[in-house]
C-alpha cells in the first residue's frame, strides 16, 4: 500500500439485506396508511394477532380496486398501493411470528 492509500475497515456484509436498494419515497403511501390506522385503531394495532386469511382478503380487495381503475381508497383517501403494501407487510410479520412460535414449541414444519 502506498502512502496515499488508506486502508478501509473490514466489514462482513455478505448475505445481509442491502437497504440501499430500497427507494424510500415509494414507501410513503404505506406509511400514510400506517398513520391512518394508528388514528383509527391504535399505533401498532396491526401487530396484534390476526388471521392470515383476513390479511390476504384485505389485500385482494385493494388490488381488485386498482385493477378496476380505482386508485384511491374511499375511506382513507390514500392510494390503494399503500394499503396493499401494508397488508403485505402485515402478512409477512404475522407469518414470521407464527413461524417463530412453532419453532419455540419444537415444531419446525411448514406453516
Amino acid at each position: 500500500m502506498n502512502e496515499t492509500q488508506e486502508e478501509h475497515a473490514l466489514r462482513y456484509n455478505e448475505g445481509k439485506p442491502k437497504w440501499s436498494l430500497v427507494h424510500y419515497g415509494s414507501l410513503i403511501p404505506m406509511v400514510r396508511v400506517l398513520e391512518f390506522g394508528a388514528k383509527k385503531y391504535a399505533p401498532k394495532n396491526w401487530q396484534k394477532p390476526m388471521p392470515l386469511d383476513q390479511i390476504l382478503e384485505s389485500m385482494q380487495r385493494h388490488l381488485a380496486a386498482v385493477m378496476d381503475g380505482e386508485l384511491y381508497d374511499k375511506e382513507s383517501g390514500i392510494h390503494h398501493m399503500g394499503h396493499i403494501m401494508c397488508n403485505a407487510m402485515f402478512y409477512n410479520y404475522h407469518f414470521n411470528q407464527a413461524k417463530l412460535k412453532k419453532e419455540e414449541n419444537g415444531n419446525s414444519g411448514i406453516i
Side-chain angles (χ1 to χ4, degrees), residues 51-64:
L52 292 176
D53 63 335
Q54 287 183 9
I55 299 168
L56 293 175
E57 289 285 344
S58 176
M59 188 181 335
Q60 184 58 44
R61 283 192 300 273
H62 289 285
L63 180 59

PDB file of all heavy atoms in Angstrom, residues 51-64:
ATOM      1  N   PRO A  51     -55.764 -13.355  11.796  1.00  0.00           N
ATOM      2  CA  PRO A  51     -55.648 -14.475  10.858  1.00  0.00           C
ATOM      3  C   PRO A  51     -55.036 -14.042   9.524  1.00  0.00           C
ATOM      4  O   PRO A  51     -55.384 -12.978   8.989  1.00  0.00           O
ATOM      5  CB  PRO A  51     -57.093 -14.948  10.666  1.00  0.00           C
ATOM      6  CG  PRO A  51     -57.841 -14.389  11.834  1.00  0.00           C
ATOM      7  CD  PRO A  51     -57.141 -13.117  12.204  1.00  0.00           C
ATOM      8  N   LEU A  52     -54.156 -14.861   8.990  1.00  0.00           N
ATOM      9  CA  LEU A  52     -53.507 -14.552   7.719  1.00  0.00           C
ATOM     10  C   LEU A  52     -54.520 -14.411   6.587  1.00  0.00           C
ATOM     11  O   LEU A  52     -54.348 -13.559   5.710  1.00  0.00           O
ATOM     12  CB  LEU A  52     -52.485 -15.638   7.370  1.00  0.00           C
ATOM     13  CG  LEU A  52     -51.253 -15.715   8.264  1.00  0.00           C
ATOM     14  CD1 LEU A  52     -50.379 -16.900   7.868  1.00  0.00           C
ATOM     15  CD2 LEU A  52     -50.454 -14.426   8.231  1.00  0.00           C
ATOM     16  N   ASP A  53     -55.587 -15.204   6.610  1.00  0.00           N
ATOM     17  CA  ASP A  53     -56.559 -15.117   5.516  1.00  0.00           C
ATOM     18  C   ASP A  53     -57.276 -13.769   5.505  1.00  0.00           C
ATOM     19  O   ASP A  53     -57.627 -13.253   4.443  1.00  0.00           O
ATOM     20  CB  ASP A  53     -57.546 -16.281   5.536  1.00  0.00           C
ATOM     21  CG  ASP A  53     -58.429 -16.332   6.776  1.00  0.00           C
ATOM     22  OD1 ASP A  53     -58.028 -15.803   7.825  1.00  0.00           O
ATOM     23  OD2 ASP A  53     -59.522 -16.917   6.678  1.00  0.00           O
ATOM     24  N   GLN A  54     -57.467 -13.150   6.675  1.00  0.00           N
ATOM     25  CA  GLN A  54     -58.090 -11.821   6.713  1.00  0.00           C
ATOM     26  C   GLN A  54     -57.172 -10.775   6.089  1.00  0.00           C
ATOM     27  O   GLN A  54     -57.632  -9.841   5.422  1.00  0.00           O
ATOM     28  CB  GLN A  54     -58.426 -11.431   8.145  1.00  0.00           C
ATOM     29  CG  GLN A  54     -59.609 -12.177   8.717  1.00  0.00           C
ATOM     30  CD  GLN A  54     -59.961 -11.706  10.120  1.00  0.00           C
ATOM     31  OE1 GLN A  54     -59.438 -10.719  10.622  1.00  0.00           O
ATOM     32  NE2 GLN A  54     -60.868 -12.442  10.759  1.00  0.00           N
ATOM     33  N   ILE A  55     -55.887 -10.931   6.297  1.00  0.00           N
ATOM     34  CA  ILE A  55     -54.913 -10.008   5.700  1.00  0.00           C
ATOM     35  C   ILE A  55     -54.943 -10.151   4.181  1.00  0.00           C
ATOM     36  O   ILE A  55     -54.975  -9.153   3.451  1.00  0.00           O
ATOM     37  CB  ILE A  55     -53.497 -10.269   6.244  1.00  0.00           C
ATOM     38  CG1 ILE A  55     -53.463 -10.059   7.763  1.00  0.00           C
ATOM     39  CG2 ILE A  55     -52.479  -9.374   5.540  1.00  0.00           C
ATOM     40  CD1 ILE A  55     -52.192 -10.563   8.432  1.00  0.00           C
ATOM     41  N   LEU A  56     -54.956 -11.392   3.702  1.00  0.00           N
ATOM     42  CA  LEU A  56     -54.986 -11.622   2.256  1.00  0.00           C
ATOM     43  C   LEU A  56     -56.289 -11.116   1.637  1.00  0.00           C
ATOM     44  O   LEU A  56     -56.277 -10.572   0.518  1.00  0.00           O
ATOM     45  CB  LEU A  56     -54.798 -13.111   1.955  1.00  0.00           C
ATOM     46  CG  LEU A  56     -53.422 -13.680   2.308  1.00  0.00           C
ATOM     47  CD1 LEU A  56     -53.406 -15.187   2.071  1.00  0.00           C
ATOM     48  CD2 LEU A  56     -52.321 -12.992   1.517  1.00  0.00           C
ATOM     49  N   GLU A  57     -57.407 -11.277   2.348  1.00  0.00           N
ATOM     50  CA  GLU A  57     -58.691 -10.763   1.857  1.00  0.00           C
ATOM     51  C   GLU A  57     -58.633  -9.247   1.680  1.00  0.00           C
ATOM     52  O   GLU A  57     -59.083  -8.705   0.673  1.00  0.00           O
ATOM     53  CB  GLU A  57     -59.823 -11.135   2.823  1.00  0.00           C
ATOM     54  CG  GLU A  57     -60.185 -12.594   2.832  1.00  0.00           C
ATOM     55  CD  GLU A  57     -60.972 -13.034   1.609  1.00  0.00           C
ATOM     56  OE1 GLU A  57     -61.510 -12.167   0.884  1.00  0.00           O
ATOM     57  OE2 GLU A  57     -61.037 -14.243   1.376  1.00  0.00           O
ATOM     58  N   SER A  58     -58.080  -8.561   2.666  1.00  0.00           N
ATOM     59  CA  SER A  58     -57.963  -7.103   2.594  1.00  0.00           C
ATOM     60  C   SER A  58     -57.055  -6.696   1.443  1.00  0.00           C
ATOM     61  O   SER A  58     -57.380  -5.781   0.669  1.00  0.00           O
ATOM     62  CB  SER A  58     -57.428  -6.560   3.920  1.00  0.00           C
ATOM     63  OG  SER A  58     -57.236  -5.171   3.828  1.00  0.00           O
ATOM     64  N   MET A  59     -55.927  -7.376   1.314  1.00  0.00           N
ATOM     65  CA  MET A  59     -55.001  -7.052   0.232  1.00  0.00           C
ATOM     66  C   MET A  59     -55.675  -7.255  -1.124  1.00  0.00           C
ATOM     67  O   MET A  59     -55.531  -6.418  -2.026  1.00  0.00           O
ATOM     68  CB  MET A  59     -53.737  -7.916   0.328  1.00  0.00           C
ATOM     69  CG  MET A  59     -52.671  -7.487  -0.647  1.00  0.00           C
ATOM     70  SD  MET A  59     -51.129  -8.446  -0.666  1.00  0.00           S
ATOM     71  CE  MET A  59     -51.016  -9.169   0.923  1.00  0.00           C
ATOM     72  N   GLN A  60     -56.426  -8.341  -1.259  1.00  0.00           N
ATOM     73  CA  GLN A  60     -57.095  -8.631  -2.527  1.00  0.00           C
ATOM     74  C   GLN A  60     -58.161  -7.588  -2.856  1.00  0.00           C
ATOM     75  O   GLN A  60     -58.319  -7.207  -4.013  1.00  0.00           O
ATOM     76  CB  GLN A  60     -57.718 -10.029  -2.496  1.00  0.00           C
ATOM     77  CG  GLN A  60     -58.350 -10.440  -3.812  1.00  0.00           C
ATOM     78  CD  GLN A  60     -57.371 -10.417  -4.967  1.00  0.00           C
ATOM     79  OE1 GLN A  60     -56.239 -10.882  -4.855  1.00  0.00           O
ATOM     80  NE2 GLN A  60     -57.790  -9.851  -6.089  1.00  0.00           N
ATOM     81  N   ARG A  61     -58.883  -7.109  -1.838  1.00  0.00           N
ATOM     82  CA  ARG A  61     -59.884  -6.061  -2.092  1.00  0.00           C
ATOM     83  C   ARG A  61     -59.223  -4.809  -2.656  1.00  0.00           C
ATOM     84  O   ARG A  61     -59.735  -4.198  -3.606  1.00  0.00           O
ATOM     85  CB  ARG A  61     -60.641  -5.711  -0.801  1.00  0.00           C
ATOM     86  CG  ARG A  61     -61.690  -6.728  -0.404  1.00  0.00           C
ATOM     87  CD  ARG A  61     -62.599  -6.204   0.703  1.00  0.00           C
ATOM     88  NE  ARG A  61     -61.887  -5.849   1.928  1.00  0.00           N
ATOM     89  CZ  ARG A  61     -61.598  -6.702   2.909  1.00  0.00           C
ATOM     90  NH1 ARG A  61     -61.935  -7.972   2.805  1.00  0.00           N
ATOM     91  NH2 ARG A  61     -60.972  -6.275   3.999  1.00  0.00           N
ATOM     92  N   HIS A  62     -58.086  -4.428  -2.094  1.00  0.00           N
ATOM     93  CA  HIS A  62     -57.386  -3.235  -2.587  1.00  0.00           C
ATOM     94  C   HIS A  62     -56.807  -3.471  -3.978  1.00  0.00           C
ATOM     95  O   HIS A  62     -56.858  -2.585  -4.838  1.00  0.00           O
ATOM     96  CB  HIS A  62     -56.304  -2.803  -1.595  1.00  0.00           C
ATOM     97  CG  HIS A  62     -56.873  -2.214  -0.341  1.00  0.00           C
ATOM     98  ND1 HIS A  62     -57.416  -0.950  -0.303  1.00  0.00           N
ATOM     99  CD2 HIS A  62     -56.993  -2.725   0.906  1.00  0.00           C
ATOM    100  CE1 HIS A  62     -57.853  -0.697   0.920  1.00  0.00           C
ATOM    101  NE2 HIS A  62     -57.614  -1.765   1.673  1.00  0.00           N
ATOM    102  N   LEU A  63     -56.294  -4.658  -4.214  1.00  0.00           N
ATOM    103  CA  LEU A  63     -55.760  -4.981  -5.535  1.00  0.00           C
ATOM    104  C   LEU A  63     -56.878  -4.972  -6.578  1.00  0.00           C
ATOM    105  O   LEU A  63     -56.719  -4.416  -7.672  1.00  0.00           O
ATOM    106  CB  LEU A  63     -55.061  -6.341  -5.514  1.00  0.00           C
ATOM    107  CG  LEU A  63     -54.463  -6.810  -6.843  1.00  0.00           C
ATOM    108  CD1 LEU A  63     -53.431  -5.817  -7.359  1.00  0.00           C
ATOM    109  CD2 LEU A  63     -53.844  -8.193  -6.666  1.00  0.00           C
ATOM    110  N   ALA A  64     -58.014  -5.561  -6.229  1.00  0.00           N
ATOM    111  CA  ALA A  64     -59.147  -5.578  -7.153  1.00  0.00           C
ATOM    112  C   ALA A  64     -59.620  -4.155  -7.476  1.00  0.00           C
ATOM    113  O   ALA A  64     -59.963  -3.857  -8.622  1.00  0.00           O
ATOM    114  CB  ALA A  64     -60.298  -6.393  -6.560  1.00  0.00           C
TER     115      ALA A  64
END
